[in-house]
Amino acid sequence: MNIIIFGPPGAGKGTQAKIIAQENNLVHLSSGELSRRLLNDKKLGEKIKKYLDSGQLIPNYLINNIVEKFIQTNLSCNGFIFDGYPRNLGQAKELDKFTKKNKIKINLVINLKLSEKEALRRILLRGKISGRSDDNLKIVTNRLKIYRERTAPILSYYRNQKKLKNIDGQQTIAQIAKEIRRIIKESGLNKKSL
Ligand code: AP5
Ligand code: MG
């Protein structure tokens, strides 16, 4: 079973992905976390830093490579929960090609819907303790704009494939987790090994 968790910055993708991964024995693939971990890398660190610090998207050739390497080293797992990837149409198409080649199927895309006001509130609150260079008003405003212009449009790509499930992301963490559990159960995916 492979799931994409989708939504704007602050929607709770990371929070829910951890729960889904644990409950379904999936590997959590967070493209943001993978990128932040590479900040100390001699070759890629400098390159990546300027995108993370400005809230810009890392170019596709770089991020696709980072994600594909991670998938490849975890291929024997039960499935992945994709958090923060794909983020534009080029990435979505690349993921389709790559998964097909590796006999993986994306089964579900769970979209956490959230107002920009609430997204901003959560991230500014987290910014007080997160240490993330992009958790401040100026950069979050840019991240939200990029989400609106580049990322949200790919929802129709998954809607057309009949994989999209929408959830109200303004609910509590526990309520959202419960809805996701229901969606997975209703899909019957947790019973099949894919
Ligand atoms: P990334 O790390 O993916 O950040 P993001 O998408 O901006 O989202 P966040 O991680 O801030 O939010 P989240 O949805 O995970 O919410 P969370 O659970 O943390 O990307 C960072 C950067 O990396 C990008 O700007 C880009 O530069 C680069 N990058 C990453 N992927 C890329 C890609 N594919 N292509 C190109 N570049 C890429 O929750 C947020 C806060 O709210 C937390 O404090 C949490 O405790 C709280 N919270 C969670 N749920 C709830 C709830 N239901 N109610 C109240 N509070 C809640
Ligand atoms: Mg996150």
Side-chain angles (χ1 to χ4, degrees), residues 10 12-15 28 30 32-33 36 83 126 132:
K13 300 184 294 296
T15 304
H28 179 193
S30 159
E33 281 300 321
R36 282 187 285 279
D83 157 12
R126 184 182 61 184
R132 269 178 61 169

mmCIF file of all heavy atoms in Angstrom, residues 10 12-15 28 30 32-33 36 83 126 132, ligand 2:
data_model
loop_
_atom_site.group_PDB
_atom_site.id
_atom_site.type_symbol
_atom_site.label_atom_id
_atom_site.label_comp_id
_atom_site.label_asym_id
_atom_site.label_seq_id
_atom_site.Cartn_x
_atom_site.Cartn_y
_atom_site.Cartn_z
ATOM 1 N N GLY A 10 1.908 23.304 6.830
ATOM 2 C CA GLY A 10 1.160 23.418 8.081
ATOM 3 C C GLY A 10 -0.109 22.588 8.129
ATOM 4 O O GLY A 10 -0.819 22.571 9.142
ATOM 5 N N GLY A 12 -0.467 19.501 8.368
ATOM 6 C CA GLY A 12 -0.373 18.326 9.242
ATOM 7 C C GLY A 12 0.085 17.084 8.487
ATOM 8 O O GLY A 12 -0.124 15.962 8.951
ATOM 9 N N LYS A 13 0.732 17.279 7.343
ATOM 10 C CA LYS A 13 1.198 16.127 6.550
ATOM 11 C C LYS A 13 2.172 15.271 7.365
ATOM 12 O O LYS A 13 2.011 14.061 7.463
ATOM 13 C CB LYS A 13 1.909 16.597 5.259
ATOM 14 C CG LYS A 13 1.035 17.414 4.329
ATOM 15 C CD LYS A 13 1.753 17.753 3.043
ATOM 16 C CE LYS A 13 2.951 18.684 3.198
ATOM 17 N NZ LYS A 13 2.623 20.047 3.687
ATOM 18 N N GLY A 14 3.174 15.933 7.940
ATOM 19 C CA GLY A 14 4.179 15.201 8.715
ATOM 20 C C GLY A 14 3.568 14.517 9.924
ATOM 21 O O GLY A 14 3.843 13.343 10.198
ATOM 22 N N THR A 15 2.704 15.243 10.625
ATOM 23 C CA THR A 15 2.056 14.721 11.831
ATOM 24 C C THR A 15 1.261 13.456 11.507
ATOM 25 O O THR A 15 1.388 12.424 12.178
ATOM 26 C CB THR A 15 1.099 15.791 12.419
ATOM 27 O OG1 THR A 15 1.847 16.983 12.644
ATOM 28 C CG2 THR A 15 0.419 15.325 13.686
ATOM 29 N N HIS A 28 7.940 6.232 6.072
ATOM 30 C CA HIS A 28 7.595 7.645 5.908
ATOM 31 C C HIS A 28 8.652 8.318 5.038
ATOM 32 O O HIS A 28 9.810 8.411 5.425
ATOM 33 C CB HIS A 28 7.530 8.291 7.305
ATOM 34 C CG HIS A 28 7.217 9.756 7.296
ATOM 35 N ND1 HIS A 28 7.372 10.552 8.406
ATOM 36 C CD2 HIS A 28 6.766 10.579 6.321
ATOM 37 C CE1 HIS A 28 7.021 11.789 8.107
ATOM 38 N NE2 HIS A 28 6.661 11.836 6.852
ATOM 39 N N SER A 30 9.527 11.787 3.705
ATOM 40 C CA SER A 30 9.266 13.223 3.724
ATOM 41 C C SER A 30 10.362 13.910 2.912
ATOM 42 O O SER A 30 11.533 13.902 3.305
ATOM 43 C CB SER A 30 9.273 13.743 5.171
ATOM 44 O OG SER A 30 9.502 15.145 5.188
ATOM 45 N N GLY A 32 10.853 17.000 2.479
ATOM 46 C CA GLY A 32 11.407 18.126 3.235
ATOM 47 C C GLY A 32 12.451 17.647 4.238
ATOM 48 O O GLY A 32 13.549 18.201 4.324
ATOM 49 N N GLU A 33 12.122 16.578 4.974
ATOM 50 C CA GLU A 33 13.073 16.021 5.959
ATOM 51 C C GLU A 33 14.343 15.520 5.271
ATOM 52 O O GLU A 33 15.451 15.750 5.744
ATOM 53 C CB GLU A 33 12.437 14.842 6.725
ATOM 54 C CG GLU A 33 11.482 15.239 7.828
ATOM 55 C CD GLU A 33 12.139 16.094 8.902
ATOM 56 O OE1 GLU A 33 13.297 15.829 9.249
ATOM 57 O OE2 GLU A 33 11.492 17.059 9.360
ATOM 58 N N ARG A 36 16.386 18.519 4.375
ATOM 59 C CA ARG A 36 17.017 19.151 5.544
ATOM 60 C C ARG A 36 18.188 18.315 6.057
ATOM 61 O O ARG A 36 19.199 18.847 6.470
ATOM 62 C CB ARG A 36 15.984 19.387 6.662
ATOM 63 C CG ARG A 36 15.086 20.601 6.403
ATOM 64 C CD ARG A 36 14.184 20.926 7.577
ATOM 65 N NE ARG A 36 13.072 19.987 7.703
ATOM 66 C CZ ARG A 36 11.948 20.036 6.987
ATOM 67 N NH1 ARG A 36 11.772 20.984 6.091
ATOM 68 N NH2 ARG A 36 10.983 19.157 7.167
ATOM 69 N N ASP A 83 5.173 12.232 1.789
ATOM 70 C CA ASP A 83 4.810 13.481 2.464
ATOM 71 C C ASP A 83 5.634 14.621 1.849
ATOM 72 O O ASP A 83 6.848 14.653 1.999
ATOM 73 C CB ASP A 83 5.089 13.266 3.972
ATOM 74 C CG ASP A 83 5.320 14.543 4.773
ATOM 75 O OD1 ASP A 83 5.065 15.636 4.269
ATOM 76 O OD2 ASP A 83 5.769 14.406 5.938
ATOM 77 N N ARG A 126 4.757 27.029 15.470
ATOM 78 C CA ARG A 126 5.834 26.042 15.463
ATOM 79 C C ARG A 126 7.197 26.720 15.331
ATOM 80 O O ARG A 126 8.193 26.260 15.876
ATOM 81 C CB ARG A 126 5.646 25.056 14.307
ATOM 82 C CG ARG A 126 6.696 23.947 14.320
ATOM 83 C CD ARG A 126 6.548 22.996 13.171
ATOM 84 N NE ARG A 126 6.704 23.675 11.898
ATOM 85 C CZ ARG A 126 6.541 23.083 10.721
ATOM 86 N NH1 ARG A 126 6.186 21.827 10.674
ATOM 87 N NH2 ARG A 126 6.704 23.759 9.607
ATOM 88 N N ARG A 132 13.442 25.681 12.214
ATOM 89 C CA ARG A 132 13.432 25.635 10.751
ATOM 90 C C ARG A 132 13.568 27.049 10.198
ATOM 91 O O ARG A 132 12.819 27.950 10.574
ATOM 92 C CB ARG A 132 12.135 24.978 10.244
ATOM 93 C CG ARG A 132 12.279 23.492 10.069
ATOM 94 C CD ARG A 132 10.995 22.831 9.618
ATOM 95 N NE ARG A 132 10.500 23.305 8.328
ATOM 96 C CZ ARG A 132 9.529 22.710 7.660
ATOM 97 N NH1 ARG A 132 8.953 21.620 8.147
ATOM 98 N NH2 ARG A 132 9.116 23.199 6.499
HETATM 99 MG MG MG B 2 6.206 18.473 7.067
#
